[in-house]
Amino acid sequence: MHIAMLVHDRFTALDVVGPYEILSRLPDVRLDFVAERPGPVRTDTGFLALTADKSLDQVRSPDVVVVCGGPGTFEQLENAAVLDWLCAVDATSTWTTSVCSGSLLLGAAGLLRGRRATCHWAALDLLKEYGAEPTEERVVTDGRYVTAAGVSSGIDMGLTLVGRIAGDDHAQAVQLLTEYDPQPPYDAGSPHKAPAHLVEEFRTGSRFTLA
Amino acid sequence: MHIAMLVHDRFTALDVVGPYEILSRLPDVRLDFVAERPGPVRTDTGFLALTADKSLDQVRSPDVVVVCGGPGTFEQLENAAVLDWLCAVDATSTWTTSVCSGSLLLGAAGLLRGRRATCHWAALDLLKEYGAEPTEERVVTDGRYVTAAGVSSGIDMGLTLVGRIAGDDHAQAVQLLTEYDPQPPYDAGSPHKAPAHLVEEFRTGSRFTLA
């Protein structure tokens, strides 16, 4: 089982490290961080760099592709090298997946036309531009395409995939290993649950911005 | 607000990227990844390297210290350079914190004597060796010491700290930004919830090992 995790400048770290932590516990797995230019790739905050060990050319037929999002994703939506790579690896992948605004990249590569998909809640409607059907679920499976909502949802997607690939027993073992028994101290993790003024602050970009 | 995140060879990525993703959204924050030897530091799986931009000497008085765990933590428990650094930064920190087996490092540095603390569930009893009181909660606060349970619990700890540092409103905004509305597809994230045979497999090391 070979997994490729695509990163780009100003990606969001947890988008990719969440599913990495889960998927890297599959049996007989090999996992590569991939970028257009291998080497250190900086996250959106600038405080952290992850190493992409492989260039696009070096990873041609992974079984699973994971595309992360982040503010820098928007700059990649017309990057032919990245879009061509996504189309090429998708031709032979078992699962093509994304977290957060990474689904916009799958969309821009033409892979989500007519499919149900999700994205970070604040960018969900943008999926329509690529012919996808925005879907308000945390993890959306449509055929061999699995998209997850914002940032932390990649952990839930990872466990869903491990269950599909290696069975429920192994997925539960990984959940136990990572002690994934979430107990958030607040209940504000979706626009339907957060105080309305915080959702509005997002819409106006007054506290955080997505791009 | 200056945050230092200590990493070491064979650390567990999500231990540190979980709280990083949350704490890096504090207002006016500066955050450094720190290691004994700066440069790329490999995780426990070997598939991922994070860059430690700073050496121990370069970070002397952070406001918040976060110590991660992982299989490699056990090799650090007698590393005088790391333990001395922890004691030095703890002398002036506002919050000294850990995720997973990182609490054993705080214990080895002598910082948890007589304190309630937690750790990865499978290593919780080891805290007694350092005079700490093992506590089965996901996030344990004792004075200015905050310890979190295994791997994914650092996200909950991060939100708890953001609430204490910047207020409930900002913490909820960060939860909304990271869409942290967890929906695990299984309910096996603690030894009290997982199937008994999986807990037993951990105890015997037949599927995964901690060290």
Side-chain angles (χ1 to χ4, degrees):
Chain A
M1 174 66 54
H2 182 203
I3 299 173
M5 314 206 81
L6 178 70
V7 292
H8 51 70
D9 281 343
R10 300 202 301 129
F11 70 105
T12 298
L14 187 56
D15 285 16
V16 70
V17 172
Y20 149 82
E21 196 64 68
I22 303 297
L23 295 170
S24 65
R25 315 293 173 177
L26 279 165
D28 302 317
V29 74
R30 188 161 55 92
L31 188 150
D32 284 311
F33 281 79
V34 187
E36 191 176 8
R37 281 175 294 276
V41 182
R42 284 266 152 199
T43 62
D44 47 8
T45 65
F47 298 133
L48 172 62
L50 261 64
T51 302
D53 288 315
K54 298 282 171 68
S55 66
L56 300 175
D57 286 347
Q58 291 174 301
V59 176
R60 302 311 299 177
S61 52
D63 302 296
V64 180
V65 185
V66 181
V67 181
C68 67
T73 305
F74 296 89
E75 292 161 19
Q76 301 295 320
L77 294 174
E78 297 185 359
N79 183 337
V82 165
L83 301 182
D84 289 352
W85 181 82
L86 283 172
C87 288
V89 293
D90 178 66
T92 55
S93 70
T94 309
W95 297 100
T96 295
T97 79
S98 66
V99 180
C100 202
S101 51
S103 59
L104 301 180
L105 262 177
L106 295 184
L111 303 177
L112 296 181
R113 271 185 224 110
R115 297 192 181 278
R116 298 170 68 249
T118 193
C119 191
H120 190 285
W121 65 268
L124 187 60
D125 279 351
L126 299 177
L127 281 171
K128 291 179 190 164
E129 295 181 19
Y130 304 107
E133 182 189 329
T135 305
E136 280 199 354
E137 290 162 22
R138 191 156 171 87
V139 177
V140 175
T141 303
D142 186 334
R144 60 191 184 81
Y145 297 88
V146 187
T147 52
V151 192
S152 59
S153 63
I155 301 174
D156 296 326
M157 183 182 82
L159 282 172
T160 300
L161 276 168
V162 170
R164 295 292 294 267
I165 294 167
D168 294 340
D169 200 61
H170 194 79
Q172 290 175 89
V174 174
Q175 186 176 9
L176 181 59
L177 171 72
T178 54
E179 208 163 341
Y180 186 45
D181 180 28
Q183 295 168 31
Y186 307 95
D187 190 17
S190 92
H192 303 297
K193 296 177 175 178
H197 74 277
L198 294 179
V199 178
E200 183 57 23
E201 279 183 17
F202 258 93
R203 303 279 187 208
T204 59
S206 62
R207 192 184 309 237
F208 295 118
T209 56
L210 272 194
Chain B
M1 174 66 51
H2 182 205
I3 299 173
M5 314 206 81
L6 178 70
V7 293
H8 51 68
D9 280 344
R10 299 202 301 127
F11 70 104
T12 297
L14 187 55
D15 285 14
V16 70
V17 172
Y20 149 82
E21 197 63 70
I22 304 296
L23 295 171
S24 66
R25 314 295 173 177
L26 278 165
D28 302 317
V29 74
R30 187 161 56 91
L31 189 151
D32 284 310
F33 281 79
V34 187
E36 192 176 7
R37 281 176 293 276
V41 182
R42 284 267 152 200
T43 63
D44 48 7
T45 66
F47 298 133
L48 172 60
L50 262 64
T51 302
D53 288 315
K54 298 281 171 69
S55 66
L56 300 176
D57 287 348
Q58 291 174 301
V59 176
R60 302 311 301 178
S61 53
D63 301 297
V64 181
V65 185
V66 181
V67 180
C68 67
T73 306
F74 295 90
E75 294 162 17
Q76 301 295 321
L77 294 176
E78 298 186 357
N79 183 337
V82 166
L83 301 182
D84 289 351
W85 181 82
L86 284 172
C87 288
V89 293
D90 177 66
T92 54
S93 70
T94 308
W95 297 101
T96 295
T97 78
S98 66
V99 180
C100 201
S101 52
S103 58
L104 302 180
L105 262 177
L106 295 185
L111 303 177
L112 296 181
R113 272 185 222 109
R115 297 193 181 279
R116 299 170 68 250
T118 193
C119 191
H120 190 286
W121 64 269
L124 187 61
D125 279 351
L126 297 178
L127 282 171
K128 291 180 193 165
E129 296 181 19
Y130 304 107
E133 183 190 330
T135 305
E136 279 198 358
E137 291 163 22
R138 191 156 171 85
V139 178
V140 176
T141 304
D142 187 333
R144 61 192 184 80
Y145 297 88
V146 187
T147 53
V151 192
S152 60
S153 63
I155 301 172
D156 296 325
M157 184 183 81
L159 283 172
T160 300
L161 276 169
V162 170
R164 294 293 294 268
I165 293 167
D168 293 342
D169 200 62
H170 194 79
Q172 290 176 89
V174 174
Q175 185 176 10
L176 181 59
L177 171 73
T178 54
E179 208 162 342
Y180 186 46
D181 181 28
Q183 295 169 31
Y186 306 95
D187 190 17
S190 91
H192 303 296
K193 297 177 175 178
H197 74 278
L198 294 180
V199 179
E200 182 59 21
E201 280 183 18
F202 257 93
R203 304 278 187 208
T204 58
S206 62
R207 192 184 310 236
F208 294 119
T209 57
L210 273 196

